[in-house]
Amino acid sequence: MEEKDFESSYKAAFEKERKAIGIAAWVITGLFICVLWFFAGHYTLTEEQDAVVYTFGVPKVVSKTGWNWNIPFVQKVTKVPRSILGMTIGYDAETGMSIYEESLMITKDLSFVNVDLYIEYRVSDPIKAVINKDSYQDIIKNLGQSYLRDTVGMHLIDDVITTGKAQIQQEIEEAFKQRIADEDLGYNIERVLIQDTEFPSANIDEAFKAVESAKQSMDVAINDAEKDKNEKIPAMEAEVDKIVKEAEAYKQEKINEANAQVARFEALYTEYAKFPRVTRKRIFYETMDEILPDLKVVINASDGTQSILPLDSFSSVNVEQTIPQKANQE
């Protein structure tokens, strides 16, 4: 009896211990699964990231930086960058090698040219960006190529290769931004940059450089001529102004002389009208003195003597004294 009781007690204790171990194992397993389940829903966001969390197909944007948690197997998390992203057209960003299928295009004057483009874009709407995550790159690249070719095709080769790149770049950027906004992909175009423009052939490139060098030489010659013109024109204008002023002064001098002669003639005419005989003699003597300044007057007296007098003594006869005498005689 004692052996049977001992065996029964042993079996009961063993069974009880086995059940306790089983329960503990299930508890530990459950706790382990809970810990795994808890950490499976853990995710972190940096300052340059947002997250779109789907709960039964309903999206929600999470922007909290640092540690975040979602319900595993119930919620789905997709991280979205906030930073500016880049895309190349016409070359490989890693190797720098040209992709001629993308870069080769034709200009308005039917010249071939290789143009490399770099597109900067960023997410504007995280939910729409996640919806279009499988197609947005192809859409942006195709539209970028389309606007690049259309814009280059409206410009001459000189503009594309040299001074017109900034304008072409601006035209592409404005049209491209508007089109991407209309497509509503959840992305915005930040900037479009033309990286390089070149001829597809080295010989053409050398010939174009020679033409550009000749144009620069022509511009230098034109600038030198303009500089010389700008330096000489003021001097010539000053000379012309001087000549004009001298001519004006000469004109005024002649006018004054003419006015003086007119006044003298009128005064002489007045005297002539009063005393014509005396005035005629005076005019004669003054004229002869002017024409023949060394002329002498010889006077033969009745006694045979001669007197030689200069003509100016006659021309300087006081007419005012002569006139009253003649008047008295008359």
Side-chain angles (χ1 to χ4, degrees):
M1 290 292 295
E2 293 180 355
E3 291 181 0
K4 288 182 179 179
D5 292 339
F6 177 78
E7 185 177 356
S8 297
S9 299
Y10 177 79
K11 288 181 178 179
F14 179 79
E15 185 66 24
K16 184 178 180 180
E17 184 178 355
R18 187 178 68 81
K19 288 182 179 179
I21 292 173
I23 292 172
W26 278 107
V27 170
I28 292 171
T29 302
L31 290 174
F32 181 73
I33 291 173
C34 288
V35 170
L36 289 179
W37 181 80
F38 178 80
F39 281 101
H42 168 264
Y43 67 94
T44 58
L45 294 177
T46 68
E47 294 181 354
E48 296 296 326
Q49 289 178 318
D50 288 323
V52 177
V53 180
Y54 280 87
T55 305
F56 299 112
V58 179
K60 178 184 177 182
V61 178
V62 177
S63 302
K64 178 185 174 184
T65 301
W67 189 89
N68 290 275
W69 188 79
N70 69 299
I71 303 174
F73 312 114
V74 176
Q75 294 178 318
K76 181 181 178 182
V77 178
T78 303
K79 296 181 180 180
V80 179
R82 297 180 189 172
S83 59
I84 294 177
L85 306 173
M87 179 184 297
T88 62
I89 294 178
Y91 69 101
D92 190 312
E94 295 182 358
T95 63
M97 298 296 293
S98 294
I99 304 175
Y100 293 108
E101 293 81 2
E102 297 178 358
S103 65
L104 186 62
M105 54 200 68
I106 191 168
T107 63
K108 183 178 180 180
D109 50 354
L110 304 180
S111 297
F112 288 97
V113 64
N114 285 328
V115 182
D116 298 336
L117 195 69
Y118 186 77
I119 303 170
E120 292 182 351
Y121 62 97
R122 73 162 74 223
V123 174
S124 59
D125 187 329
I127 294 176
K128 291 180 180 178
V130 171
I131 294 173
N132 296 292
K133 66 179 181 178
D134 296 328
S135 60
Y136 80 92
Q137 287 188 332
D138 291 337
I139 294 174
I140 290 177
K141 190 161 191 173
N142 290 335
L143 289 176
Q145 284 184 288
S146 176
Y147 283 110
L148 176 61
R149 292 182 184 278
D150 290 345
T151 308
V152 169
M154 293 187 293
H155 291 269
L156 301 175
I157 186 63
D158 286 354
D159 298 332
V160 178
I161 294 294
T162 57
T163 57
K165 284 194 282 189
Q167 180 182 352
I168 295 171
Q169 182 175 288
Q170 182 179 359
E171 292 176 3
I172 296 172
E173 184 175 302
E174 291 176 355
F176 198 15
K177 282 182 176 180
Q178 184 60 48
R179 179 60 185 276
I180 291 298
D182 294 340
E183 291 292 329
D184 200 19
L185 299 175
Y187 291 87
N188 282 339
I189 300 299
E190 294 294 315
R191 190 165 58 158
V192 173
L193 301 171
I194 293 179
Q195 298 291 89
D196 192 19
T197 56
E198 61 182 6
F199 287 100
S201 170
N203 293 334
I204 298 176
D205 188 36
E206 291 177 1
F208 183 81
K209 288 179 179 178
V211 172
E212 287 301 312
S213 177
K215 287 182 178 179
Q216 291 177 2
S217 299
M218 179 186 69
D219 291 339
V220 170
I222 292 174
N223 292 335
D224 290 342
E226 287 290 334
K227 180 181 178 182
D228 187 58
K229 181 187 76 173
N230 293 334
E231 290 176 353
K232 290 185 176 180
I233 284 179
M236 296 302 295
E237 288 178 346
E239 184 67 21
V240 169
D241 186 60
K242 178 182 177 183
I243 293 173
V244 169
K245 288 181 178 179
E246 290 178 351
E248 289 290 336
Y250 181 76
K251 180 185 76 172
Q252 191 61 42
E253 179 184 353
K254 291 300 180 182
I255 290 174
N256 294 337
E257 289 180 1
N259 290 334
Q261 290 179 1
V262 169
R264 180 174 175 273
F265 178 80
E266 290 178 350
L268 185 61
Y269 177 75
T270 301
E271 295 297 327
Y272 179 80
K274 293 178 180 179
F275 313 105
R277 183 166 173 267
V278 174
T279 304
R280 279 198 302 270
K281 287 185 177 181
R282 180 180 174 184
I283 294 173
F284 172 77
Y285 292 139
E286 288 177 353
T287 304
M288 294 304 295
D289 182 50
E290 183 179 350
I291 296 173
L292 302 171
D294 297 329
L295 183 64
K296 305 297 181 179
V297 177
V298 179
I299 300 175
N300 295 315
S302 57
D303 56 359
T305 61
Q306 291 183 346
S307 299
I308 300 175
L309 300 174
L311 187 62
D312 57 359
S313 61
F314 292 91
S315 61
S316 60
V317 173
N318 192 334
V319 176
E320 295 180 356
Q321 295 177 356
T322 309
I323 291 173
Q325 294 176 1
K326 187 174 188 317
N328 292 334
Q329 294 175 359
E330 292 177 352

